[in-house]
Amino acid sequence: MHDKPLLKSVGELLRRRHGVAHAAGGSEREGFTLDSAMVSDFVTGTLSSEDEGKLADEVAELLPHHWDLPTKSVEALTPLMDHFGSQQKLMAWLDGHPGRPRLTARIYVLLGHLDQYSEDQAILAAVRHARAQDPYPQGLRGYLTPETNDETLGGLAFRIEELLGDNRERDAIALALATADWLQRAAQNAESPDDDVREMGELMGHMHQDIGDAAPPA
């Protein structure tokens, strides 16, 4: 992963998507577990590299379900989060493991930026201008809200995460790539881009490449 998108990740990557409410599930998801023994060994530095890869894969599988994890998984994940000290460092660790962990980390970095951009009026103005030219760009029809507001980008982030949680990985990848490409073009075609808009265009170019590089072969 390019250093810049990861280092500039802001906020809590796993926080509630801006302006989007997740369904309040009455029961915890079954079938999602995290090996507490592997977590303990990793934190103490005694986990083998092979098992570390397995742990990274388990964590990546759990992340899209962080809203309603079984209690045991939450209890196992907590010391891991405490060990890293920040969600950004957790994503950097996942990025070091090819396959699902790396792909998940790169998608979540994109989601973190989408949440941030939801609150940037200059970026929203660039998005509105782009939608005036093409309201539903290729790959985004059915995902974009009818009106462009502070829920538009958060809504895309929610849908990407939802696709991951539904085991629709290829659809999640396609939507993530379409979103990054669209925002990069929106920045390039903005009428009066400020520094934030220009930086967004650069970051989205990096994110498109990073996610594409981490995606499995078609």
Side-chain angles (χ1 to χ4, degrees), residues 55-170:
L55 177 61
D57 198 64
E58 285 189 4
V59 172
E61 184 178 9
L62 283 175
L63 287 184
H65 308 285
H66 61 94
W67 308 107
D68 51 3
L69 286 177
T71 302
K72 288 184 179 180
S73 292
V74 174
E75 292 174 348
L77 186 59
T78 298
L80 190 64
M81 293 297 300
D82 291 343
H83 172 76
F84 285 112
S86 72
Q87 292 180 8
Q88 283 75 18
K89 290 181 180 179
L90 171 65
M91 296 304 159
W93 172 69
L94 288 175
D95 192 72
H97 297 276
R100 176 163 51 190
R102 179 170 296 161
L103 175 65
T104 301
R106 295 181 180 191
I107 287 178
Y108 268 94
V109 171
L110 172 66
L111 304 190
H113 284 296
L114 293 180
D115 274 347
Q116 176 197 19
Y117 298 154
S118 294
E119 302 172 356
D120 190 310
Q121 294 306 309
I123 288 175
L124 289 180
V127 170
R128 288 190 184 95
H129 178 71
R131 294 196 72 185
Q133 314 306 312
D134 185 1
Y136 295 98
Q138 183 176 0
L140 298 180
R141 182 174 293 277
Y143 295 109
L144 277 171
T145 56
E147 296 183 5
T148 302
N149 52 37
D150 62 357
E151 296 184 8
T152 300
L153 299 181
L156 286 173
F158 166 73
R159 296 302 297 275
I160 295 168
E161 185 178 53
E162 184 178 49
L163 290 169
L164 282 179
D166 289 341
N167 294 319
R168 296 170 58 187
E169 182 180 86
R170 291 200 177 276

